[in-house]
Structure formats: C-alpha cells, structure tokens
Amino acid sequence: MTMPFTLTRRRLLALAGAAALCAPAAASAQGAGAWRRVPEIAALLGDLAPVEGGIALDLPFVSENGNSVPLSATVEGTDVRALHIFAPANPSPQVISFHFTALSRVAAVETRIRLNESQTVIAVAQLGDGTARIVEREVRVTVSGCLTEAGTYATDDLFRVRVRTPDQLAAGESGPVLTMIGHPMETGLRPGPDGTPLPQRLIERFEASLDGEPVFSADLYRSVAADPYIRFQIAPPAAGVLALTWREDTGHVVTAQADIAVG
Amino acid sequence: MEAYELTLWAGLAIGLAFGFAARATGFCLVSGLRGWWVTGERAKMRAFALALAVALAASQMLDLAGLVDLRRSLYAQGAFSPAVVLCGGLMFGYGMVLANGCGARALVLLAGGNLRSFVVLTCLGIAAYATLSGLVAPLRVAASSQGAIVTAPDLPAMLAALGLGEGAARLSLAIPLAGGIAFLALARAARDEAGLLAGGAAIGLLVAAGWVATGVLGADDFTPAPLASLTFVAPVGETIQYAMLATGMRPSFGVAVVAGVFAGALVTALVTGTARLEGFASPQAMLRSMAGGALMGAGGALALGCSIGQGLTGLSTLALTSFLAAGGILAGAWVALRGPLRVARQAVAEQS
C-alpha cells in the first residue's frame, strides 16, 4: 500500500504545482474582459473604453434555480444615467436595462433574472460625464433541487401589480420603491405540452413617474424572471402620486399608483 | 426587521428548542423502531407517534385558520414519481439503521461529542447535494420525469373531490388521524414515560412553529419564500455548502435550524454533563456509518425528506408523497432491523 502512495504523492505534488501556475492565467483568461466578446456590449459602448469597477453587483455564487436568480446592483456616484445587465451565455444576452433620472439618482436596483447555465454576468453603467463602468460576476447554476417543473403559471395573478413605497421621506431623501407584476415572461423558446414552442409574451417596458415627471424606467428582455420584480430608489422633491406603467409586447398596458409622502 | 431575517431568527430558535428536546429525551425514530420491533421497549416509539399526532393536528389547524397554505409546501406535489419517492424512502430507512440514527439524531449526537455522527452528517450532506444538483442529479431528473400526475396532491384534496368542503375534508381527516395516533401513543404509556412524551409533543409543536416561521413571519409579497418546516437532508448539505460559500450565498431557514439544533443540543449536553468524545471502534464501523449517511442523503433527496422531514413534517400536511416516503422509510428500517438484510446492532457503546 505504501509504494503506490509515494508514487502518486510525487505526481500529485507535481500536478498541484502545475495547477498553481496555471490557475491565475486561466482565471484572467476567462474572467476579466469577458465583456469584450459580447457584441451587444460592444454595440452599446462603441469606442468608449469602460472603467472596470465602481458597481457593487451582487448575485449568488451558486444558484439552484436558474429561473429566478436574485440580482442587486449599486452604482457609485450621483450622475448615473443607465445600468445594463448582460448574461452572455443566455439565448439573448440582454437581460434588463435601468434608466435613472434626477429623481432616482441613487442608482441602486434589485430584480430577478434567468440564467441558462453557469456564466459570467456583466453589468455596464453609463454616467452623465460620458464615461462607462463595467463589472463582472461569475454565477454557477445547478439543476433545481425541486422535483417538479413550473410548467404553468397561476393565471389569476396575471397583470396583478404590487407596489410598496417608503412610509415617509424627508425632502430630497432617497427611499426604496418595490414593485412586481404577475406575468409569465414567456420567452418563445420553451416547448409547450405538444412540443411546439409557446408563443413569446413579455413585459418589455416599465416606467415610473411622479406627478408626470419621469423618475425611472426599465427595458425588460426575455431573461427577466417570471413575475418581474424591480426595486429602485426614489428621491422625491415633494409629495406626489407615483404612477407605474408596465407594457407588454402585445401593447397591453397596466398601470398602478401609489402616494409618496414627503415631510 | 425584514421578513427574511425574522425567518432566520425563528429558525434558529426552533432549532435550539429541537436540539434541547431531542437531546434531553433521546428522541429518535431508529431507537423507537428497534424498541418496537426488536427489544419490546416502546417508550421512544410512543414519543415519536405523539410528535406526529401533535404536528398533524397543529399543522392542519394552521391551514384551517388560513395562516398557512400547506399545499404550497414541497410535499404536496402535483406531479411526482411514486417509484422514486418510495425507493428514496427505502434507502433512507435502511441507511438510518446502518448509521444508527437519522440526520437529526446525528446532529444531536455530534453536539455531545459523538464524532461518528460527524462522518454520518458529512456523507449525508454531500450525498444529498450530489443527488439534488451534483453528479447523480441528471439520473434523478430522468427517473423523476417518469412521474404520475395527480389532481389531488393530498388526502384533504382527495376527500374534497368527493364533494366534501375543503375545511370539512381537513377536519374529518385530521381529527380521527391525530386523535387515533395520540390514543395509540398514550393508551399504554407508563407514568415514567411522561418526560419522553413531553419531548415528543414539543417536537410536534415545533413542526407547526416551522410553518409559522416560513409562512407567516417569512411572508413577503415581493420575495416569495418556499413554505418549509423541520427537515434534515437538504439543509445539512446546504449548511456544509454555506460554510464554504458564505460570501456568495444567503443562509436559508433550514441552515438556521441546523445551526440551532447543534447549539441547543450542545448546551444541553454540557449542562447535563453528558458530553463525551467518541470515535469509531473499527474501520468496518466507520464504513458502515459512511454507507448509512450516504444512503440517507441520496434516499432523503429522492424521497423529498427524512424521518423528520417526511415522517413528521410531510405527514402533517397529509400529502401523498409523504405517505409513500414514510412507508418506504418504515419498510427500509424494517428490512435492516428484522428483515432478510438485517444488520447487527453496532458494537460500539451507544448513547441513543
């Protein structure tokens, strides 16, 4: 028993040494700069060279349910114009784009996304001074521990909008708005019971305005999880009525309202 | 406090109470079954039965009161593979006799210094995750896809399909079932078993407390959390995973319960002076524990739960999968205790 062990141990040590040398190289080859190979990001940025960092992108390292992976992102700075999320290994890499205004200048958002497989999720922020920031985060997706597939969605929840706003804000203070709409976000790629793909049906646009003044908006693509959920920050100058609009790709529009109290 | 954090603290408290009750009274299905089928000592089986009766009555009452919807739990599956659930139960039942205690029992024993349980738990957690999402997962998914689709995932729904109202169906099942099991548990109980029985009843209540923690305290319109209560297969694996990946994942209710059970049992062991380091007497004994742990992990993952997860928590929902799984666990344990593949009682000194 001892002879093979010493032999394998020597080999193991050699292998470990080789692995240690390779690991950093492999990591940099895969990790940093993955965005360069995503055409959608190249199209978005053009010739602009983004700064790496400056976005706190939070996703679980390991997700057992690729159908709904919680994502939160906070961009440093006060003049953030847009934040785009990409999942390059999904059938369509664009996931969601958030657009901010002076009334939502704290660029901190949350949503839930779909990830087809383990991959590097990329966040790109565009700032008012013309610069861009980029951050990558690797997520491993495993098969679901659940024994059943969610094949059908509760239809009684369709288009039901939920809103939660801060109880009371001081003038100029930022507070979170949470909203969610019941919707299957049917990708058009999923086969139905008879084998043919279920027709695409997506919420593609979300807008929030305070007494007619745009606050925040988002473009949603098919990689947003069913029952789209968005959390953003509002900084209202005065009390008002927050109007929320969700638009489906069929043109159907659902609206909801909530009072914003400032004092 | 956010609903999510509340759920975690509640899970920790429930775990602490479970650890205390289980350590103080030696709550254990394997001991109970061995007593019932082999030695004729039935006190521990009575305690387990009483836990089931209390869990069933309390959980059904929570559902009737509209506080939780038990059909949102993992156990009331509309489509599942009966063969896979039954096989999983058999594996779990056989494994828990091999390992001399289920996952929850191993956790309670480990807290008292039983290092054999550490081996059992490690094998259980890794085998569970290998089956849920690892090496064996593709096989599990393929096997489970040959499923049966049921329109009524639990007994109340089946009775309601016969024309009875939903509430009436629940009542007419819960009262005789819980009452009957409690009667069987208490009818011949001796006076000196009061402590054991109290421990069982407390554990039954903790199952209901788990539903409240995840279904009422954890209810958040914007973050749908799964309805769950006490179970010790996936959460053991998840706790190991959490230890390794804590910077990139959030703990769940199950992880909080596992941590609580360990802490509660540890404090109880120290206070009662029963803590003592123990190891394996032989490599064969270690192999047996490893096999038992692995069988419990893989079997529990297939059966959707363990002797607690399906045997108490699952059965308290009256779900069909739970009857299958619990039947499998009992059959597997019978094979290992009395059947053709019976295993000898472990030679090393037992604290169970």
Side-chain angles (χ1 to χ4, degrees), chain B:
Chain B
M1 212 184 317
E2 267 188 68
Y4 166 72
E5 290 164 30
L6 262 178
T7 312
L8 288 190
W9 286 111
L12 196 68
I14 290 169
L16 282 169
F18 184 98
F20 167 72
R23 178 85 201 176
T25 66
F27 187 79
C28 175
L29 181 60
V30 177
S31 300
L33 292 174
R34 180 177 284 126
W36 184 16
W37 289 336
V38 182
T39 63
E41 170 54 56
R42 299 196 175 166
K44 283 195 173 170
M45 199 61 224
R46 290 196 187 104
F48 192 91
L50 191 63
L52 175 58
V54 171
L56 205 163
S59 304
Q60 293 297 326
M61 262 194 274
L62 284 176
D63 189 290
L64 278 168
L67 285 171
V68 298
D69 178 3
L70 293 178
R71 244 163 242 157
R72 274 187 50 235
S73 73
L74 165 76
Y75 308 103
Q77 297 265 2
F80 62 95
S81 163
V84 168
V85 173
L86 189 66
C87 278
L90 282 169
M91 286 166 68
F92 188 94
Y94 197 82
M96 76 178 183
V97 177
L98 271 187
N100 210 27
C102 67
R105 182 70 186 150
L107 204 53
V108 168
L109 290 176
L110 173 64
N114 182 330
L115 301 178
R116 298 187 297 274
S117 298
F118 179 79
V119 171
V120 171
L121 283 169
T122 311
C123 291
L124 185 156
I126 292 172
Y129 260 66
T131 311
L132 285 175
S133 58
L135 284 173
V136 199
L139 255 175
R140 171 183 68 77
V141 172
S144 306
S145 65
Q146 310 299 318
I149 293 176
V150 288
T151 48
D154 55 21
L155 290 189
M158 290 173 87
L159 207 58
L162 298 177
L164 218 58
E166 177 71 35
R170 268 193 199 285
L171 271 180
S172 57
L173 283 162
I175 293 174
L177 275 175
I181 297 169
F183 176 78
L184 286 176
L186 295 172
R188 298 223 178 141
R191 228 165 242 287
D192 60 350
E193 291 171 18
L196 279 181
L197 291 169
I203 285 169
L205 282 178
L206 290 173
V207 169
W211 297 127
V212 174
T214 57
V216 180
L217 300 180
D220 181 343
D221 270 356
F222 295 93
T223 319
L227 183 66
S229 186
L230 298 181
T231 182
F232 294 92
V233 177
V236 170
E238 204 184 338
T239 306
I240 296 174
Q241 194 189 38
Y242 181 69
M244 298 185 292
L245 298 173
T247 56
M249 68 183 277
R250 302 206 303 176
S252 68
F253 171 77
V255 172
V257 171
V258 167
V261 170
F262 181 81
L266 178 66
V267 169
T268 312
L270 292 176
V271 168
T272 57
T274 52
R276 184 160 66 94
L277 280 179
E278 294 173 60
F280 287 106
S282 68
Q284 286 77 13
M286 183 169 177
L287 189 64
R288 180 174 154 172
S289 282
M290 290 168 70
L295 275 175
M296 283 197 284
L302 296 177
L304 306 174
C306 57
S307 50
I308 309 278
Q310 282 284 33
L312 291 182
T313 307
L315 282 181
S316 79
T317 70
L318 294 174
L320 294 187
T321 62
S322 306
F323 286 97
L324 267 175
I329 291 172
L330 284 181
W334 188 85
V335 169
L337 286 169
R338 293 291 300 272
L341 295 172
R342 91 185 64 165
V343 289
R345 188 166 185 185
Q346 217 153 11
V348 285
E350 282 167 13
Q351 297 297 303
S352 53

Side-chain angles (χ1 to χ4, degrees), chain A residues 58-62 64 112 137 140 142-148 160 162-164 178-180 229 231, chain B residues 74 77 79-80 85 129 132-133 137 140-141 144 220-224 241 245 247-249 301-302 304:
Chain A
D58 195 20
L59 286 147
F61 280 152
V62 179
E64 276 166 48
R112 288 190 277 265
R137 174 76 184 253
R140 291 181 227 165
T142 66
V143 302
S144 168
C146 186
L147 274 181
T148 51
R160 181 174 158 211
R162 303 170 199 208
V163 193
R164 189 192 297 166
L178 287 76
T179 180
M180 189 169 157
Y229 158 74
R231 174 185 159 127
Chain B
L74 165 76
Q77 297 265 2
F80 62 95
V85 173
Y129 260 66
L132 285 175
S133 58
R140 171 183 68 77
V141 172
S144 306
D220 181 343
D221 270 356
F222 295 93
T223 319
Q241 194 189 38
L245 298 173
T247 56
M249 68 183 277
L302 296 177
L304 306 174

